Amino acid sequence: MAADKVRERPWRRTREAGRGVREFVVEFVVETVGEILLSAAACLVLAGLFISAVWGWQQSPLLTGGLAALLTVFLCYGTWELRRPAGTSRRGRLAAVAACTATVAMFFGYYASSCSCG
């Protein structure tokens, strides 16, 4: 009986090592595909913003400039809300939306910076 346990141990270790390698490969593939999808989404968002800006500028430069300025102010407000020290006052819904929008914009900006679309 003791001899059977000794014989099973090397096989058990091999199976455990195989499971570990399989988990590593699956995690690596999932992370790689996720990075590719996020980069593609960031490139598509960047291209969509550029196309929208060009189309808007052709239609109405004043309105496009105003909307771009408004979006910039909103993103700056969201960034300020993220970096603001915690105080006694409560953050409102607009501040939460601005902070969330700024976070998503920074996230996509990071991935769009590695975009080799143009």
Side-chain angles (χ1 to χ4, degrees):
M1 192 173 250
D4 291 336
K5 288 183 179 179
V6 171
R7 289 182 192 158
E8 288 179 349
R9 286 184 182 166
W11 298 109
R12 187 173 293 161
R13 289 181 190 159
T14 305
R15 280 189 226 136
E16 290 173 3
R19 286 183 193 135
V21 169
R22 185 180 67 212
E23 289 175 5
F24 172 77
V25 169
V26 167
E27 182 180 350
F28 177 75
V29 168
V30 167
E31 286 184 9
T32 302
V33 168
E35 289 286 328
I36 289 170
L37 290 176
L38 283 174
S39 294
C43 284
L44 289 173
V45 166
L46 185 65
L49 285 174
F50 179 74
I51 290 170
S52 297
V54 168
W55 179 81
W57 192 263
Q58 289 174 351
Q59 300 299 318
S60 173
L62 184 63
L63 183 61
T64 304
L67 287 176
L70 186 64
L71 179 63
T72 303
V73 167
F74 188 67
L75 289 175
C76 289
Y77 173 62
T79 305
W80 178 76
E81 282 293 329
L82 286 173
R83 299 187 51 86
R84 182 176 70 132
T88 57
S89 63
R90 240 178 42 153
R91 291 186 178 171
R93 289 182 187 163
L94 181 64
V97 170
C100 182
T101 304
T103 303
V104 170
M106 285 187 264
F107 183 72
F108 274 129
Y110 170 74
Y111 278 100
S113 67
S114 65
C115 182
S116 59
C117 351

